[in-house]
Amino acid sequence: MNLSCSLWQDNSLSVQHFVFAKFSEVPEQCFLLFALVLLMFLASLTGNALITLAIWTNPVLHTPMYFFLTNLSLLEIGYTCSVTPRMLQSLASEARGISREGCATQMFFFTFFGISECCLLAAMAFDRYMAICSPLHYATRMSRGVCAQLAVASWGVGCMVGLGQTNYIFSLNFCGPCEIDHFFCDLPPILALACGDTSHNEAAVFVAAILCISSPFLLIIASYGRILAAVLNMPSPEGRRKALSTCSSHLLVVTLFYSSGSVTYLRPKASHSPGTDKLLALFYTVVTSMLNPVIYSLRNKEVKAALRRTLGKRKF
């Protein structure tokens, strides 16, 4: 490994190629994990693509809530595609190497889609707040223009953070070892390979996590605090049940996404372990992307009806 690493260095002695760590030395375990991840990846792509298609082809679902759900499904497709194909390649073969440029590209897209999803989940919570707490003004305050601006802002913030973090980290030199103790180019394991003192970079990653993960989460909490207060003041039990039903799917998705992401990026560096980080990363890159369309389709009658109509048309 030391010889190969030395061959992967240029004149500045900075590593130009990396190698992802093996998942296991036992081939049977790698095959089992490959099959499991492949099934979840295909289920995620199929589920999110179907929800996008169902909403797009059913005019009755052209509302702010489903507009944001379409954006969420597109983000989930990009999010899992930025990581999973490379992981499957590493599991299926010995081709575990990746160039410095390829690693930077993967980090950018992973960060871009992840941060965009954080912001979009906050926009979705604001939409539910306006629908329940201010129904008389909902149509004007959540117009198509406003929804488009919120979506563009979410994608824009993700793009800026992704570019900034990727550029900041890959401006460093990497002295080796060249093996990334992870299955994709995530920020903490790449920083662990950099030369010299990386405390400023680690602080920048932590600050970005605070601003781009905690801030949207606080907005979500504030929105649902107001929603809960409004629901408790509703005189009709049926009205309370319907209001909570429209929010339950989003709350479950938020819980799954933020619980794994917060534990990964906001806990102290001393408590990090490669095994735990890999397990958490597998959860929020593959499992949650697969579960989101299931959650929305099972708990939303309109989405289920739209999926039945869309699948019926395609079958016919």
Side-chain angles (χ1 to χ4, degrees):
M1 179 61 71
N2 289 335
L3 176 60
S4 60
C5 282
S6 66
L7 294 175
W8 286 345
Q9 294 174 353
D10 63 6
N11 294 331
S12 65
L13 299 180
S14 181
V15 173
Q16 296 299 303
H17 284 74
F18 301 97
V19 176
F20 295 116
K22 285 186 176 181
F23 284 86
S24 173
E25 296 294 337
V26 182
E28 291 78 9
Q29 291 180 355
C30 289
F31 176 77
L32 181 62
L33 186 58
F34 172 84
L36 182 62
V37 172
L38 179 61
L39 287 174
M40 290 191 293
F41 177 59
L42 294 177
S44 173
L45 292 182
T46 303
N48 284 294
L50 281 175
I51 284 185
T52 302
L53 182 63
I55 294 173
W56 184 263
T57 56
N58 287 271
V60 71
L61 298 184
H62 292 178
T63 63
M65 181 171 73
Y66 296 110
F67 169 77
F68 289 125
L69 181 55
T70 301
N71 277 267
L72 180 65
S73 295
L74 292 174
L75 282 172
E76 290 288 6
I77 291 172
Y79 190 60
T80 189
C81 284
S82 67
V83 172
T84 312
R86 190 77 197 194
M87 175 170 56
L88 291 171
Q89 181 185 359
S90 298
L91 284 167
S93 68
E94 290 297 318
R96 294 179 290 113
I98 186 170
S99 67
R100 181 182 178 122
E101 293 77 15
C103 192
T105 301
Q106 187 183 58
M107 180 182 289
F108 163 72
F109 280 109
F110 170 76
T111 307
F112 165 44
F113 288 119
I115 297 300
S116 297
E117 185 166 339
C118 288
C119 298
L120 189 71
L121 288 172
M124 295 173 76
F126 178 72
D127 171 66
R128 292 298 83 207
Y129 159 73
M130 292 300 300
I132 294 173
C133 298
S134 187
L136 298 178
H137 302 285
Y138 179 69
T140 55
R141 293 182 179 176
M142 294 302 295
S143 63
R144 287 187 178 183
V146 171
C147 293
Q149 289 173 9
L150 289 172
V152 169
S154 299
W155 290 74
V157 169
C159 184
M160 288 189 293
V161 174
L163 284 173
Q165 289 290 330
T166 303
N167 182 66
Y168 193 35
I169 289 175
F170 280 89
S171 63
L172 299 170
N173 286 325
F174 298 94
C175 304
C178 59
E179 184 174 272
I180 303 169
D181 199 2
H182 209 36
F183 59 83
F184 70 97
C185 293
D186 201 2
L187 281 72
I190 294 297
L191 270 177
L193 304 180
C195 307
D197 182 19
T198 60
S199 57
H200 293 294
N201 302 83
E202 292 167 6
V205 171
F206 186 77
V207 169
I210 290 289
L211 293 176
C212 301
I213 297 178
S214 298
S215 297
F217 183 69
L218 291 176
L219 291 174
I220 294 171
I221 294 297
S223 297
Y224 276 106
R226 298 290 298 274
I227 289 172
L228 181 60
V231 168
L232 293 176
N233 289 327
M234 289 181 178
S236 168
E238 180 64 21
R240 289 197 294 269
R241 187 198 64 78
K242 186 176 180 180
L244 291 175
S245 177
T246 62
C247 299
S248 58
S249 299
H250 181 250
L251 274 174
L252 188 53
V253 169
V254 167
T255 301
L256 289 172
F257 184 80
Y258 273 95
S259 57
S260 55
S262 299
V263 171
T264 301
Y265 295 104
L266 296 180
R267 76 182 194 272
K269 181 182 177 181
S271 63
H272 281 254
S273 68
T276 303
D277 289 347
K278 289 177 187 176
L279 185 62
L280 287 169
L282 184 64
F283 185 83
Y284 63 73
T285 55
V286 182
V287 178
T288 57
S289 296
M290 178 192 67
L291 291 178
N292 285 356
V294 175
I295 292 169
Y296 276 105
S297 60
L298 289 179
R299 300 185 63 87
N300 191 302
K301 293 180 180 179
E302 292 178 324
V303 172
K304 283 192 288 187
L307 284 172
R308 282 195 295 267
R309 288 194 294 269
T310 301
L311 291 174
K313 291 177 184 177
R314 295 297 176 273
K315 185 177 180 181
F316 177 77

